[in-house]
Amino acid sequence: MAAPAQRISGDTFWRGFAVLLAYGLPIFFILLPLAAFLVYSLFWVEGTEMHYDLTLVNYRRFFTDEIYVPVLRQTIVLCLEVAALGILFGYPVAYFLSSLKGRKKYMLLMLLLVPLLMSYIIKMYAIRSILGGNGFLNKALIALHIVDQPLTFFVFNLNAVLLTLTVLLLPFAILPIFLSLERIPKSLLEASADLGASNGQCFFRVILPLSIPGVVSAATFVFILAIGDFLTPQMVGGQSGFTFGRIIYSQFGFAYNWPFGAALSVIMTALVTVAIAIGFRFGGRKAETL
């Protein structure tokens, strides 16, 4: 039998090891890379030569060049639209799922989340096969004599990026709303019905207000995932579907200007942090007041 002192020593070791993992892993895998990006953004490139003296020239270039700020503004608007469409289409689905009972609810939820296990590129090619000039949608419209020639409204432009991101990120909007609806006590719904509230009154006065934290979380989640996506605009956006993520990608790839790409990444990280703070403030405050 182990002595008490040895047991205490072993418990202290494992407790310290757990604390080290809890704080060390986020520092090593999150804070240190962010700090490295911040430092790297202060370097600069001239031609093909890297200069390691610290400067704010990359940030000055972002604010003074006539391209980058408008593209960032356009990307923010696009991602807000994706978040809004995600809520618009995701809330009815989440509400329908939460109204089901038994295994059927969770079986349908699992089927809804299956696309998340698929390859991201395969899903984009599937959407392109539907929306493309020779895709299923245009062939169906022509066969039904609704249009005479293929539509280009959803092909290689920001509309294509908007629709594709909405479809791809819809499960990320449904799940937080579903979880928020699931947390609503059934006793509140029963009490509202006992007091004579109609289904509409029960929804707008009880269910919708109590599900707002989930809606805010879903909108924040979708916005963050959309604004960091560069692959979708690259594959379905074309020349007119340029986003801020594609600019960052081009700086690390084609332009080979890593310091400027790091500066743009720092700016996007700051924007994402602000989005998280806004979502936490409004979602968390709403949850506390309810």
Side-chain angles (χ1 to χ4, degrees), residues 5-117:
Q6 292 177 335
R7 240 186 351 256
I8 294 174
S9 177
D11 292 343
T12 303
F13 169 78
W14 288 111
R15 190 179 298 112
F17 183 70
V19 171
L20 179 63
L21 288 179
Y23 289 94
L25 291 179
I27 291 175
F28 186 77
F29 288 105
I30 299 177
L31 294 182
L32 286 182
L34 289 177
F37 261 83
L38 180 60
V39 173
Y40 214 88
S41 69
L42 300 177
F43 302 151
W44 58 289
V45 172
E46 185 178 16
T48 58
E49 184 179 356
M50 177 82 71
H51 297 269
Y52 295 96
D53 46 320
L54 303 184
T55 178
L56 295 176
V57 64
N58 293 314
Y59 295 96
R60 189 182 307 117
R61 176 184 175 186
F62 167 77
F63 286 106
T64 57
D65 198 294
E66 62 182 10
I67 297 176
Y68 302 110
V69 174
V71 171
L72 178 59
R73 188 186 306 116
Q74 175 180 273
T75 303
I76 292 173
V77 173
L78 174 70
C79 295
L80 289 174
E81 292 173 347
V82 172
L85 289 176
I87 299 302
L88 180 64
F89 294 114
Y91 196 101
V93 176
Y95 182 75
F96 170 74
L97 289 175
S98 65
S99 66
L100 299 177
K101 297 180 180 180
R103 295 182 179 179
K104 186 185 299 184
K105 174 192 301 185
Y106 299 102
M107 288 179 61
L108 289 177
L109 181 63
M110 288 301 298
L111 289 176
L112 186 69
L113 298 180
V114 164
L116 297 180
L117 304 177

